[in-house]
Amino acid sequence: QVKNGKATLQSNLSTLEMNLRRCKLQMQSMVGASLNGSLVLGPLPTLSQGLIDTMDYEKDLADAKMLSYDLFAAKKKLDEASDTFDDANDANARTTYGYRTARHTYESAKYEYQMSVQSFEMNFRNAFDSVKDYQQVLNSALTSLSYQESSYASMELKYRQGGISHNALLDAEDDLAEAKDAVSTARRNLFTAFRTYYWAVNYGVMNSGQTGT
C-alpha cells in the first residue's frame, strides 16, 4: 500500500513539475524573456496593515468611477442619444419614425448606463469585501500557525524524551507544514485581492472575477 501511494505521489509530482514549467514558459513569453522554463519568482511584496487601513469605500468608489473607461463610454453614449432625442423631440415630429427611433435609442442608452454603474458598484463592493475577508482569513491562519508551532515543539520534546513514536512526530510535522501552507495561501489571496482593489481605485479597471486559490 505504501509503495502504491509512493508511485501515485511521484506521478502527481511529475505532472505538477510539468505544469509549473509550462506556466513559467507562458510568463516568460508574456514578458519577452528567453523561453527556458527556469524562471524564479521572488516573494510577494509585503502588504502592510497600514496600507489596508487606508481603504475608504465611499471615497475610493467615487475615484474609481471617475477613472472607469467603461462608465465614461456608457455616459458618452447616453449623452449622444440624449442630444439626438432632444433634436427630434418637437410637437411636429413625435409621430415620425425618426422620433420613435431616437426615443428608443435614448431609453436603451439610459438603461445600459444604469446597468453599467450598478455592475461597477457591485464589483467594486465585492473587491472591497474580498480584501477584508482575506485579511481575517490570514489572521486566522496566523493564529493556527502559532498554535501548530507550539504543538510541534511540545511533540518534539516528547519524542526526544521517548514519550511518543516517530510516526506521531511526523504527524505533528505534517500539521505544521499544512499550517504554514495555509498562511502562504492566505497571504497570496490577500495580496491578489488588494491588487484588484488597487487597480480599480487608481485606474478604474474593475475585474468581475473572484480571487482565491
Side-chain angles (χ1 to χ4, degrees):
Q1 184 179 17
V2 173
K3 289 181 179 179
N4 180 66
K6 180 180 179 181
T8 300
L9 288 175
Q10 287 176 332
S11 176
N12 292 338
L13 180 59
S14 296
T15 301
L16 178 62
E17 290 175 344
M18 180 187 66
N19 290 334
L20 180 59
R21 178 177 174 79
R22 182 183 298 129
C23 290
K24 288 181 177 181
L25 288 171
Q26 290 175 348
M27 181 169 289
Q28 287 176 327
S29 176
M30 291 172 62
V31 300
S34 299
L35 301 181
N36 52 29
S38 61
L39 183 68
V40 178
L41 299 179
L44 288 176
T46 301
L47 187 60
S48 67
Q49 181 62 45
L51 191 59
I52 296 177
D53 291 340
T54 62
M55 295 171 59
D56 184 329
Y57 176 76
E58 295 296 338
K59 177 182 177 302
D60 291 345
L61 174 59
D63 292 342
K65 290 169 72 174
M66 287 292 294
L67 295 171
S68 172
Y69 175 79
D70 290 338
L71 295 185
F72 168 80
K75 184 62 168 60
K76 186 174 184 294
K77 182 178 179 180
L78 174 60
D79 291 341
E80 292 174 349
S82 178
D83 291 341
T84 302
F85 179 57
D86 289 340
D87 293 339
N89 188 17
D90 60 70
N92 296 324
R94 291 184 181 180
T95 59
T96 66
Y97 175 78
Y99 168 80
R100 292 194 298 271
T101 300
R103 185 186 66 184
H104 291 324
T105 300
Y106 168 70
E107 290 176 350
S108 176
K110 182 170 65 173
Y111 174 76
E112 289 180 12
Y113 176 71
Q114 292 172 345
M115 289 300 296
S116 295
V117 172
Q118 185 179 49
S119 177
F120 187 90
E121 290 177 347
M122 180 181 67
N123 290 331
F124 190 87
R125 180 81 238 186
N126 289 338
F128 179 88
D129 291 342
S130 291
V131 175
K132 300 300 182 180
D133 182 52
Y134 283 124
Q135 182 184 29
Q136 65 86 17
V137 170
L138 174 59
N139 291 337
S140 176
L142 289 171
T143 300
S144 178
L145 175 59
S146 178
Y147 167 77
Q148 292 297 340
E149 287 175 338
S150 298
S151 177
Y152 179 76
S154 175
M155 295 293 282
E156 192 175 31
L157 178 60
K158 291 179 181 180
Y159 174 72
R160 290 200 300 267
Q161 294 174 343
I164 61 172
S165 67
H166 187 242
N167 285 340
L169 179 63
L170 292 178
D171 288 339
E173 187 176 348
D174 288 342
D175 292 338
L176 178 58
E178 289 179 4
K180 290 180 178 179
D181 184 63
V183 169
S184 297
T185 300
R187 289 190 189 279
R188 183 169 59 253
N189 288 340
L190 176 59
F191 177 81
T192 303
F194 185 82
R195 290 295 297 178
T196 298
Y197 186 80
Y198 174 87
W199 274 84
V201 174
N202 292 276
Y203 302 102
V205 178
M206 189 70 261
N207 296 326
S208 60
Q210 295 300 310
T211 309
T213 55

